[in-house]
Amino acid sequence: DFEIRNPVFPEVETNLRLDTGLVVGGARDFGHGLLGGMTIKYIQRRGVIKTYTAVDISDNSFDPQKDLKTTSDFSFDLGGMVHLSEWTKSERWDPTVGVVLQNITNLDFKENGKFPTQLNVGVAIHPEIGFVKSTVAFDLIDITTRLGTDNDLGKRTHLGAEFKFPKLLSLRVGLNQGYFTGGVTLDFWILKLDFATFSEELGATTGQRADRRTLAQLSLGF
């Protein structure tokens, strides 16, 4: 991400990151509607996080690669989910609650940024509308605002719904950080096509600076 600020004395805020890593995870059903899992991850980040002035850029020796830093760290996540229908003995809508403790031990890339341990929670229901199976879900990430830059409630909120039709079609719609998101899946047995569009907030608060993204994925499998 590059952004030019201060027209009188221009500055270029540079936030460039390239992450590579290894992620290993597993989960288990403990019965009585309780499920739990853990993920271990090792990430290496190459990046430049710096503000350059017009004088810096006009210098003949200007080379941003000199500011490229390579750092790495590992952390792990713990998550749990409970199907409340197992406790209420009513399968109506199958309400589900999930909790995730993410980046335990902190994910610290030093000059390239830090991700402290954060707590995320989510709830979902699964009503059936005629022959259509659906899921309506809401989640709030970093509920203790450990990230610092995400104090705005709207940036940490996600709401969505999925509608699964018989055979090959699934539709999705929702809000991601206050912006519309939508998606569709076409499942032709061994061939599956997914399409999604969503926005991420680059500013400090919701509605300030949206980054719209469109994704498509083609999968083959049995």
Side-chain angles (χ1 to χ4, degrees):
D1 181 47
F2 302 92
E3 185 169 2
I4 300 176
R5 295 181 178 272
N6 191 2
V8 177
F9 190 74
E11 297 177 334
V12 179
E13 291 189 359
T14 304
N15 191 338
L16 174 64
R17 296 168 298 191
L18 174 62
D19 293 343
T20 57
L22 176 66
V23 179
V24 179
R28 179 180 177 184
D29 187 343
F30 294 95
H32 305 290
L34 296 174
L35 300 94
M38 180 175 70
T39 297
I40 301 173
K41 51 193 176 185
Y42 173 82
I43 308 294
Q44 182 184 79
R45 168 169 289 185
R46 302 180 69 220
V48 177
I49 300 180
K50 189 172 182 177
T51 298
Y52 295 102
T53 66
V55 175
D56 294 331
I57 298 173
S58 62
D59 193 305
N60 290 332
S61 62
F62 175 68
D63 183 5
Q65 291 193 31
K66 294 179 181 179
D67 299 313
L68 187 66
K69 305 294 183 182
T70 301
T71 54
S72 60
D73 198 10
F74 77 93
S75 67
F76 63 98
D77 307 332
L78 290 175
M81 187 169 64
V82 56
H83 291 275
L84 297 180
S85 57
E86 293 286 338
W87 299 77
T88 62
K89 303 304 179 183
S90 173
E91 296 184 359
R92 179 176 175 80
W93 289 7
D94 185 24
T96 307
V97 178
V99 179
V100 175
L101 196 59
Q102 190 173 358
N103 299 327
I104 299 172
T105 71
N106 299 325
L107 198 57
D108 189 357
F109 296 116
K110 304 187 186 311
E111 301 94 335
N112 289 330
K114 179 179 179 180
F115 294 88
T117 304
Q118 67 183 74
L119 180 65
N120 309 328
V121 298
V123 295
I125 56 175
H126 307 82
E128 291 193 18
I129 308 172
F131 56 85
V132 179
K133 295 182 178 180
S134 64
T135 297
V136 180
F138 168 85
D139 69 63
L140 181 63
I141 67 170
D142 190 27
I143 63 175
T144 58
T145 62
R146 290 287 309 280
L147 294 182
T149 57
D150 287 340
N151 293 328
D152 182 63
L153 182 62
K155 283 188 66 177
R156 297 181 287 116
T157 302
H158 308 89
L159 174 67
E162 179 185 57
F163 304 95
K164 289 187 175 182
F165 297 84
K167 302 294 183 181
L168 58 86
L169 178 64
S170 296
L171 297 177
R172 303 173 189 89
V173 64
L175 292 175
N176 179 63
Q177 298 185 324
Y179 299 105
F180 167 79
T181 178
V184 61
T185 295
L186 296 174
D187 192 346
F188 301 99
W189 186 45
I190 62 172
L191 177 68
K192 185 167 71 172
L193 176 64
D194 292 288
F195 173 83
T197 177
F198 67 98
S199 287
E200 289 192 359
E201 179 58 66
L202 299 181
T205 59
T206 300
Q208 185 176 1
R209 185 181 171 209
D211 181 17
R212 172 63 61 176
R213 304 179 183 187
T214 302
L215 305 177
Q217 177 176 294
L218 182 64
S219 305
L220 293 172
F222 296 91

